[in-house]
Structure formats: structure tokens, C-alpha cells
Amino acid sequence: MNAREALAAAAARFGVSATPRLDAELLLAHAIGITRAQLLLGLDHPVPPSFAGLVERRARHEPIAYITGTRGFWTIDLAVGPGVLIPRADSETLIEAAVTHFAGTSGPARVLDLGTGPGTLLLAALDQWPQATGLGIDASAEALAYARLNAATLEMTARASLQQGDWAGDVDEKFDLVLANPPYIADGELLPREVSGFEPAAALFGGTDGLDEYRRLSPQLLRLLAPGGVACVEIGHTQAAAVTALLHVHGLTTRVHRDLGGRDRCVTATA
């Protein structure tokens, strides 16, 4: 079986996915040890024996990012695996909102990422603004291990501090840019099996209405913002009104930003 035939056979098994052909291509490229673009330049590659095992894992709903061990986000690639939330393209809306806020300036000097996971938003921001330094906080030791690995791979260890914590409870500093992607899915909400069966529940579920962590986070933001600073907070696409109301209570001015699908995805907050 050549690559073309193997891709067709694998895609036929991936009814669990909205992108079966893409999944097959990513897995075969990973098995061969080349990029997807290189794979598509010539579909006569021999198929490694390891590809069959990767196909079985995907057919059991395991996320592609966990199988390949990596996920692209903004301008960087991140190592990911069990125990960490997989970066989503929707979260790039936060970086886009920050770019808009700092347009025409030298950008933020200090960045705080609350719930950093594998370093997703923090390291993307530091790549965007090479003069910046930052702090990433997460409650999960597993997630921080990936964040430290990613910081080292991206040669950002000297610029990115990482620590275990509960939001900003132990932080006594002001930042030009605060990033946060709280868990915002309501308890009991049905999710695709590749999410609910593999990704950490603590990074997904936010109480009966999905807003528990916003209630904890909102009172902390104002004291964290340096003059001219901005907080960029990810939301579920139906939560803009509720989250902006919470932020207004604590003296913040807000603006809602939409993702590439046209859905509300980020609330920016300024003093």
C-alpha cells in the first residue's frame, strides 16, 4: 500500500472527525517524519508500519495533537500531551485583540498568562513581542511541565517564568498584558468524545453555568493592570453579556472580539 492508498483507507475509518482526510495526512506525515506539505508533494512514499498504530488510536477518538505530540498555535509549535488542554485556533483571538490594543506602540513589556497550560498564550505573546518578558501560572503540575519544555524549545526560558498557583492570588505585580482562558463549559454539557474522554476536565468545566472561574478571576484583574494595560479573556460564544457584566462590576471597561467564525470569543478589559 502506498501513501495515497493508506490515506484513503485511514480517512474512511475516521468518521469520528470533521476532517478525516486532514487527520490521516497529519498522522502519515508524522509517521514518516516529514511535514504534511512534504507528504502532499509526492504521495508515493512508503508507509511505515507505525502508521497502523496511529490510525487505531485516532479511530478510538484520541486527539490528533496527543498522538503527534504537537500543536501549532499563532507563530509557534507547542508540545502537548495527556493532562494539558490542546491549544485551539479560537484562542488566537486573544493575541489578535492584544495586537490591536498595542498597535502603534512598542507593545507590552510584561505579560501575565493565567491558566497557561502548556504555555500557549504566554509563549505566543513573547514570540509576538520579542522584547517582552512574562509570567505563566497554572494549577496543574503536568501542564507546567509541558510549558517549561516549550519555553526551553523556543529558547524563551530566560524570558518566561512559570509557577504553580491559583489564578493571581499570589501575584503582586502589574502587567501591560494579562491573558486568561478560564474553563467555561457548563458542568454536564455534552462534548465530543475526543474532548471529554481525553482532555483534563479541570481545564474545561466551569460550574453549573460555566462562569465560576470568571467570578473568581474578575475581582483580580484591575489590580493586575499597569497604566495603559489590557486584559484579554477568552469566553464561550454565548457568554459575552454575562462576562462583561462581571467585569463592569469591578470597574473595568470592556470590548468584545469575535473569532474567525464570527462568534464572540474574547473580552478585553481596561481600567
Side-chain angles (χ1 to χ4, degrees), residues 2 8 38 60-61 65 69 80 144 155 161 183 206 218 222 228 250:
N2 61 27
Q38 290 171 323
R60 293 195 295 269
H61 300 262
V80 296
L144 287 173
E155 300 183 344
S161 300
S218 294
L222 185 59
H250 296 286

Side-chain angles (χ1 to χ4, degrees), residues 35-118:
T35 67
R36 175 173 171 259
Q38 290 171 323
L39 171 67
L40 296 179
L41 285 174
L43 293 178
D44 55 353
H45 294 277
V47 179
S50 60
F51 181 59
L54 303 184
V55 171
E56 290 301 322
R57 291 171 65 181
R58 182 60 183 140
R60 293 195 295 269
H61 300 262
E62 186 172 352
I64 289 286
Y66 282 0
I67 299 172
T68 63
T70 188
R71 184 63 170 257
F73 182 83
W74 196 244
T75 53
I76 58 177
D77 289 322
L78 296 163
V80 296
V84 302
L85 186 71
I86 297 170
R88 267 77 166 173
D90 286 346
S91 298
E92 294 181 356
T93 309
L94 278 68
I95 304 296
E96 292 171 351
V99 168
T100 298
H101 178 83
F102 290 105
T105 77
S106 58
R110 283 290 283 162
V111 179
L112 173 65
D113 182 12
L114 298 171
T116 193

Side-chain angles (χ1 to χ4, degrees), residues 141-161:
E142 283 181 291
L144 287 173
Y146 276 99
R148 292 188 180 100
L149 171 62
N150 286 320
T153 301
L154 294 166
E155 300 183 344
M156 293 184 185
T157 300
R159 298 171 56 210
S161 300

Side-chain angles (χ1 to χ4, degrees), residues 75 79 93 132 134 164 208 260:
T75 53
T93 309
Q164 195 164 9
T208 56
L260 290 176

Side-chain angles (χ1 to χ4, degrees), residues 109-177:
R110 283 290 283 162
V111 179
L112 173 65
D113 182 12
L114 298 171
T116 193
T120 304
L121 293 167
L122 174 63
L123 299 177
L126 296 187
D127 196 59
Q128 178 68 32
W129 292 285
Q131 82 290 349
T133 62
L135 170 63
I137 297 175
D138 204 284
S140 167
E142 283 181 291
L144 287 173
Y146 276 99
R148 292 188 180 100
L149 171 62
N150 286 320
T153 301
L154 294 166
E155 300 183 344
M156 293 184 185
T157 300
R159 298 171 56 210
S161 300
L162 297 158
Q163 67 184 50
Q164 195 164 9
D166 184 12
W167 295 121
D170 296 326
V171 178
D172 185 18
E173 184 184 350
K174 291 187 181 294
F175 297 83
D176 305 295
L177 173 59

